[in-house]
Amino acid sequence: MTFQPRMQNQIEGFSVVGGLRRRYWNGITADLWDVTCGAYAGGHYVARDPRLFILLDHQGKGRPTVKRTAIEPGTAQDCDLSPISYVPADMDLWVDIRDVRSIRHLDIHFDVDAISRRLGDDLDPMLLREPRLPFADIRAVTLARLIASELESGEPLHDLYGDGLALSLLLDVLKISKTAPRKRGTLAPWQLRRAKDFIDEHCLRNIRLEELAALTGLSQSHFSHSFKAATGVAPHEWQMNARIDRAKELIRSGHHMLTAIAAETGFADHAHFSRSFRKHVGLTPSQWKKSHVIKR
């Protein structure tokens, strides 16, 4: 079954030369366009699927300009200096083109579900939601030109060739690396990283288990068991360790009273702070302070 990209646009000033050249590969659609441009060309695009817009060539003294809103200045996309834009699903994109006679570009559309099935735990879904406008990547451009040649060929190679090129292009643009196999019942690397980062950032307030579960797309019980399997401690223990580490930083600075540190790091009172600190560190805050405060 072919993947049909879903896009809406309101554009003007373009004339297609030679017709659209399109191929489908296992959740990926590649389109090669050659167009001539009027004195002004461009418009508004929004797609239901993420895509790559790769500028292969342009003729004329101007450059296409891509932008997130209709009123912002935008950024010029140049086939040599910044040929690639990554556009997440449902993101509005405006393009303005002046003083350009013709453009050749490659569009690569991805079915998120299909790509997620293929990459499994190696794909952090958040990577697909972060736009990048425009940027350079020599390896990605090389892959894009190989894909364009395949689309132009009157005798295309086996589908595995185009599919491998297109998937490699996505892996390169999103910088997706191979992760080590994980133990059964633990979190995927991206899930663990996201949960740890969230806890570390918000450790001074009460973090609800449902917040962490939602971040990783799991049920609360599944997340709790998997987090402990991955780290050796429960989520609330990880948060307590983060609070204690934050308290150590404040103690080490020598600028704060212990009672103030207790309040600032989210403990109910100084007694609660002292008990928790001693449980995790083996010393009371005042004992630890004697050997760790920065001398000025």
Side-chain angles (χ1 to χ4, degrees):
M1 186 169 123
T2 58
F3 160 57
Q4 296 284 352
R6 300 163 292 177
M7 175 180 283
Q8 295 178 341
N9 59 61
Q10 295 178 330
I11 58 176
E12 59 179 295
F14 296 109
S15 297
V16 179
V17 178
L20 168 65
R21 281 147 292 185
R22 168 175 283 181
R23 292 284 300 277
Y24 303 100
W25 300 299
N26 197 9
I28 302 170
T29 298
D31 294 337
L32 180 62
W33 298 89
D34 284 286
V35 299
T36 58
C37 307
Y40 169 80
H44 170 247
Y45 302 79
V46 61
R48 296 289 303 277
D49 307 287
R51 63 191 176 97
L52 289 167
F53 171 75
I54 303 169
L55 188 61
L56 301 175
D57 191 22
H58 52 72
Q59 300 296 322
K61 63 180 182 180
R63 298 290 184 271
T65 299
V66 294
K67 50 191 182 179
R68 297 286 303 272
T69 68
I71 60 174
E72 68 181 43
T75 305
Q77 186 152 345
D78 183 279
C79 63
D80 296 318
L81 302 177
S82 52
I84 309 169
S85 284
Y86 173 70
V87 186
D90 299 316
M91 190 191 97
D92 293 291
L93 183 72
W94 276 261
V95 178
D96 288 331
I97 303 174
R98 292 180 174 85
D99 297 323
V100 176
R101 297 190 302 274
S102 65
I103 288 177
R104 159 171 278 212
H105 66 92
L106 180 70
D107 287 349
I108 306 288
H109 303 259
F110 301 96
D111 181 334
V112 171
D113 291 338
I115 297 302
S116 296
R117 287 193 296 270
R118 297 180 70 180
L119 298 181
D121 290 344
D122 292 329
L123 177 63
D124 180 348
M126 286 297 293
L127 291 174
L128 294 173
R129 302 174 192 168
E130 296 296 328
R132 296 178 67 190
L133 304 177
F135 64 97
D137 184 317
I138 294 174
R139 186 164 54 184
V141 171
T142 300
L143 291 167
R145 293 193 181 280
L146 290 171
I147 294 170
S149 296
E150 179 68 1
L151 294 177
E152 287 184 295
S153 174
E155 297 181 357
L157 297 175
H158 194 285
D159 276 353
L160 286 176
Y161 176 72
D163 177 64
L165 289 174
L167 187 60
S168 297
L169 178 58
L170 177 62
L171 293 172
D172 181 75
V173 167
L174 297 179
K175 305 304 178 191
I176 300 173
S177 58
K178 177 66 178 174
T179 57
R182 61 189 175 100
K183 297 179 181 179
R184 183 179 178 85
T186 64
L187 298 171
W190 68 266
Q191 292 173 316
L192 182 60
R193 182 176 64 254
R194 191 179 300 174
K196 284 181 176 179
D197 289 348
F198 186 87
I199 293 173
D200 290 343
E201 182 179 355
H202 301 280
C203 65
L204 303 187
R205 68 167 175 84
N206 181 38
I207 300 175
R208 301 189 307 277
L209 184 59
E210 64 188 88
E211 292 180 88
L212 299 171
L215 279 174
T216 54
L218 302 174
S219 68
Q220 294 183 43
S221 60
H222 188 176
F223 170 79
S224 183
H225 285 95
S226 297
F227 186 90
K228 186 169 185 177
T231 64
V233 297
H236 71 274
E237 283 294 314
W238 189 275
Q239 180 181 0
M240 182 59 70
N241 287 332
R243 280 185 178 177
I244 296 296
D245 287 342
R246 194 73 60 87
K248 286 179 178 179
E249 293 175 8
L250 295 174
I251 293 173
R252 193 180 287 113
S253 73
H255 295 313
H256 307 273
M257 300 288 292
L258 292 179
T259 51
I261 293 174
E264 188 167 337
T265 51
F267 292 93
D269 51 38
H270 182 266
H272 180 210
F273 172 51
S274 185
R275 287 195 305 272
S276 300
F277 195 97
R278 184 168 187 170
K279 177 181 177 182
H280 285 77
V281 180
L283 299 171
T284 65
S286 58
Q287 290 170 333
W288 191 88
K289 180 178 181 179
K290 291 177 182 179
S291 56
H292 291 84
V293 70
I294 296 175
K295 307 226 187 283
R296 300 184 183 276

